[in-house]
Amino acid sequence: MLHCLNSNASGSEMTVLERQRATIKWQHNNNHHQGYSSSSSPSPSSSSSISLVQVQSSSPTCLAAGAWPKLDNNFLMGFTSSPSSGFPLPPPPPPTTSAASFDLNSAISRTSSCPLPSLAEGKETTTPNNKRKTDKFHNTKVVASDNDNKDKRVKVAAPNDSATVGKKGTQACGDNSNKDNSKVSEVQNQKPDYIHVRARRGQATDSHSLAERVRREKISERMKFLQDLVPGCNKITGKAGMLDEIINYVQSLQRQVEFLSMKLAAVNPRLDFNMDDLFTREVFPACAASFPAIEMSPNMANTASYLHFNSSQQIDAGINPQDISLRRTISAPVSAPETFLDSSCFTQTLPSSTWEGDFQNLYSVAFDQARAASFPSQLFTGLLEPSNLKMEMEMEM
Amino acid sequence: MRNQRSVKQEFLRKWITGLRRYSCDEKKNMSFLERKKAIKLSADIAMASTRDKTTRWSQALIANASSSGDTLTGSSKNNSSRSRKKMLMMRRRRPKVKSAKKEMSASCIAKRLVEKRTRKLKNLLPGGESIDEGCLVEETLDYIESLRAQIEVMRYLVTASQLIINPYP
């Protein structure tokens, strides 16, 4: 549409005066059309054809002949598509079709005001006038016909081959015409990726606020997901409180990561986490699921031997005295009965594994060294760790 | 969202390889804080690479890690200077707020509260300064999910290594 108008503006060498005269004539036609349809309300096709014919008759005098038929096509499309989609029953006078035509009219006038700045003055004086009139007319007609078809939605069908500017114009005009309606309006573009936007009464309907509303709805939808994810967040209403809760949760998670890495650093004096070490986690049936079978391959022999240990040397209630003494040296502050209690309780709950004496010695010595060398705080001393581990085991179980 | 279990497996694999490389590169006797830092960094990077650059926080994490190397001291210095700047800004902002308080309506206050919290949340997320509000919630969702998975795997590893060291506590 814009293209043909552009060609129209450039190709034909007519004066500004002629153009203005044409627009005035056009407006006059529209006014005539309004009065005609509002007074007697004939079938829309006839009235539109009248206006079209009038436009046709007035146009060849001053406008290029090649430009108008396309416009007429657009007109006809707007007319033919809107009754077929929205209004199947012929007898009541469908005012929305004429409204659609008016929207198209105003859109055309708007887009046609773009290419020539000198023309814009004359046009811009006409377009608001025109639009206001159409709005008024549209409102009265819609209120009158509201009794007939309440459930129907106003559908503004944008022409397919119109340029984007023209499309925007039609959309905006459709919004404007729907602004004061009590009906729920639906702006439907013929693009494949159109958006359904519903504006309730009292809501702004220009394209910016529509987009803003869509964005806000998306955010609130995501916030609902977040609310489900963050524990203790579903009772809170209000965005600020929810954000507070989310911030607290994220902070706590980050601190947990910090804490766990600290714990790992405390537990492992060296950084090499061997796969065979990790594979002793097969003690936990729950953790075992999280290991892929591929990781087993390089250390297959080792793990096999360890598993052999696990299966063969099941520990019973009696623990080696050597072990106990060792552990006493590790966790000095803990009294003997307590350790005994701990270990016995664990042997009851866990199918724990035992290790060779020298292996254990090696580990505990390394552990002792690490503790003596680099433990800055009392947090990770041997006193705390058994209880921590116990708690976690209980959680696991 | 992919399957949680596969995400965890991938994260663990990457983390272990990262830790191994780290332990090969670095000297064997590190201090406690160094070890902790290395573990955390490797875990973060593993998690970010598990997310595979589809989210901004993972990109930012990887970028931070590669730019700052692996020195935590530098980043902490940055943090302190940033917080100092923030304090200055807050101080500068305060009188304005007080003067404007007289004509502030309830909705205005609520909006300000929300803005403040949004800013805070942006500071929490890695690379959150460049995220706009629409994406922020999405990113937060993703970040929380992956943090959870990370914590779970780390907990597994902690229990496992504790079991190795003292099998019967």
Side-chain angles (χ1 to χ4, degrees):
Chain A
M1 186 195 293
L2 192 67
H3 168 71
C4 70
L5 277 170
N6 265 331
S7 70
N8 176 19
S10 60
S12 68
E13 54 287 280
M14 39 171 226
T15 62
V16 177
L17 197 87
E18 269 176 347
R19 266 179 187 263
Q20 274 185 355
R21 203 179 293 154
T23 55
I24 286 164
K25 251 185 196 172
W26 197 9
Q27 193 195 353
H28 179 71
N29 285 339
N30 280 341
N31 285 343
H32 180 68
H33 177 191
Q34 272 179 38
Y36 195 58
S37 60
S38 62
S39 59
S40 63
S41 70
S43 68
S45 60
S46 68
S47 71
S48 65
S49 66
I50 286 172
S51 72
L52 276 180
V53 162
Q54 279 171 349
V55 167
Q56 282 264 22
S57 63
S58 66
S59 58
T61 58
C62 54
L63 288 174
W68 275 106
K70 273 189 184 175
L71 275 184
D72 289 340
N73 276 341
N74 277 339
F75 264 117
L76 288 175
M77 231 182 60
F79 269 108
T80 50
S81 67
S82 47
S84 63
S85 60
F87 300 95
L89 48 154
T96 50
T97 54
S98 58
S101 77
F102 273 68
D103 294 339
L104 278 175
N105 275 345
S106 52
I108 285 161
S109 61
R110 198 181 270 181
T111 50
S112 63
S113 73
C114 307
L116 265 188
S118 63
L119 192 68
E121 288 180 11
K123 288 256 175 175
E124 269 176 4
T125 51
T126 63
T127 38
N129 197 7
N130 192 2
K131 212 166 59 179
R132 213 174 302 136
K133 271 176 188 168
T134 57
D135 265 355
K136 243 186 240 166
F137 162 71
H138 182 62
N139 283 339
T140 52
K141 291 305 284 180
V142 162
V143 166
S145 71
D146 243 359
N147 307 325
D148 299 342
N149 39 8
K150 270 198 172 165
D151 294 336
K152 275 167 195 161
R153 289 170 181 172
V154 184
K155 284 199 177 178
V156 182
N160 236 349
D161 53 347
S162 67
T164 51
V165 181
K167 204 166 258 185
K168 257 183 204 167
T170 52
Q171 193 177 348
C173 286
D175 292 336
N176 277 331
S177 69
N178 292 336
K179 188 190 280 181
D180 299 327
N181 286 353
S182 59
K183 279 185 184 179
V184 177
S185 69
E186 191 176 80
V187 180
Q188 186 183 17
N189 286 343
Q190 304 230 328
K191 277 182 185 175
D193 51 348
Y194 56 85
I195 322 165
H196 287 279
V197 182
R198 294 184 175 183
R200 294 195 192 86
R201 186 194 197 109
Q203 283 181 327
T205 44
D206 55 316
S207 60
H208 284 286
S209 42
L210 277 182
E212 175 65 20
R213 198 177 308 131
V214 167
R215 189 181 138 267
R216 250 183 278 139
E217 271 168 16
K218 208 187 270 177
I219 288 178
S220 65
E221 189 186 319
R222 297 274 153 65
M223 283 296 262
K224 254 172 223 157
F225 278 127
L226 258 183
Q227 221 173 0
D228 292 339
L229 199 68
V230 176
C233 202
N234 11 342
K235 288 161 198 162
I236 296 167
T237 56
K239 203 176 176 189
M242 251 162 64
L243 277 175
D244 254 346
E245 204 66 26
I246 289 164
I247 286 168
N248 282 341
Y249 188 58
V250 170
Q251 268 176 340
S252 77
L253 285 178
Q254 282 175 342
R255 259 182 235 130
Q256 233 168 331
V257 168
E258 197 103 348
F259 175 74
L260 280 172
S261 57
M262 214 187 262
K263 218 170 173 180
L264 267 177
V267 167
N268 289 33
R270 299 161 301 149
L271 266 185
D272 47 345
F273 293 90
N274 289 326
M275 282 305 157
D276 43 343
D277 285 0
L278 285 170
F279 251 92
T280 54
R281 289 206 302 164
E282 294 233 42
V283 175
F284 300 107
C287 314
S290 69
F291 274 98
I294 313 141
E295 292 183 359
M296 210 198 276
S297 51
N299 302 305
M300 188 61 94
N302 281 336
T303 50
S305 66
Y306 289 160
L307 287 177
H308 175 67
F309 267 129
N310 285 349
S311 59
S312 65
Q313 300 192 348
Q314 291 287 339
I315 198 165
D316 40 2
I319 307 170
N320 295 337
Q322 184 200 3
D323 281 349
I324 287 177
S325 66
L326 253 174
R327 281 166 26 72
R328 248 183 231 159
T329 57
I330 291 171
S331 56
V334 184
S335 59
E338 209 174 329
T339 53
F340 216 88
L341 195 81
D342 271 347
S343 55
S344 62
C345 121
F346 260 92
T347 46
Q348 277 169 12
T349 54
L350 271 181
S352 182
S353 61
T354 184
W355 301 72
E356 275 181 338
D358 52 352
F359 202 53
Q360 169 110 24
N361 269 337
L362 189 143
Y363 260 109
S364 57
V365 163
F367 184 58
D368 252 345
Q369 278 177 350
R371 196 164 56 108
S374 63
F375 274 25
S377 65
Q378 282 293 102
L379 191 65
F380 294 103
T381 52
L383 172 63
L384 216 59
E385 274 181 5
S387 56
N388 268 347
L389 183 55
K390 186 186 158 193
M391 275 169 59
E392 285 193 359
M393 303 283 237
E394 279 167 357
M395 278 168 64
E396 293 285 338
M397 287 328 274
Chain B
M1 207 72 199
R2 269 179 300 171
N3 189 13
Q4 272 289 327
R5 177 173 288 180
S6 69
V7 166
K8 278 178 203 165
Q9 281 175 6
E10 200 180 339
F11 164 63
L12 189 69
R13 210 176 303 138
K14 282 181 175 163
W15 189 26
I16 294 296
T17 50
L19 275 178
R20 271 187 170 171
R21 199 193 294 165
Y22 215 99
S23 61
C24 288
D25 287 349
E26 297 295 308
K27 52 189 188 291
K28 287 288 179 187
N29 44 356
M30 303 163 75
S31 74
F32 170 74
L33 275 179
E34 271 176 344
R35 255 182 293 139
K36 178 226 149 194
K37 184 192 66 195
I39 288 171
K40 185 173 181 298
L41 196 75
S42 57
D44 280 346
I45 290 174
M47 197 66 235
S49 62
T50 306
R51 285 304 294 154
D52 206 19
K53 288 187 180 178
T54 47
T55 53
R56 291 211 193 148
W57 64 263
S58 56
Q59 288 173 18
L61 255 183
I62 292 173
N64 281 344
S66 57
S67 68
S68 73
D70 35 19
T71 52
L72 199 80
T73 51
S75 68
S76 70
K77 265 179 201 168
N78 278 339
N79 279 339
S80 67
S81 69
R82 210 182 291 157
S83 63
R84 227 175 277 149
K85 261 183 204 169
K86 254 179 228 159
M87 286 293 288
L88 280 176
M89 281 176 74
M90 287 296 277
R91 257 176 225 159
R92 250 181 253 152
R93 225 175 265 157
R94 233 167 243 162
K96 268 187 198 169
V97 171
K98 270 180 189 172
S99 65
K101 226 169 210 174
K102 284 169 190 173
E103 61 248 44
M104 258 192 338
S105 63
S107 67
C108 226
I109 292 172
K111 205 177 278 178
R112 187 154 300 182
L113 281 178
V114 167
E115 270 174 17
K116 202 169 147 195
R117 259 137 211 159
T118 312
R119 228 177 295 133
K120 207 171 169 187
L121 189 59
K122 276 184 186 176
N123 285 332
L124 272 184
L125 288 189
E129 283 86 0
S130 59
I131 302 174
D132 66 326
E133 205 187 334
C135 295
L136 181 69
V137 185
E138 217 169 317
E139 292 276 320
T140 315
L141 261 172
D142 197 87
Y143 188 56
I144 286 177
E145 284 275 328
S146 47
L147 267 186
R148 274 178 165 181
Q150 188 181 351
I151 283 169
E152 204 164 327
V153 173
M154 285 176 93
R155 200 169 273 158
Y156 283 152
L157 199 63
V158 166
T159 42
S161 43
Q162 272 173 341
L163 255 197
I164 289 165
I165 286 167
N166 21 342
Y168 15 83

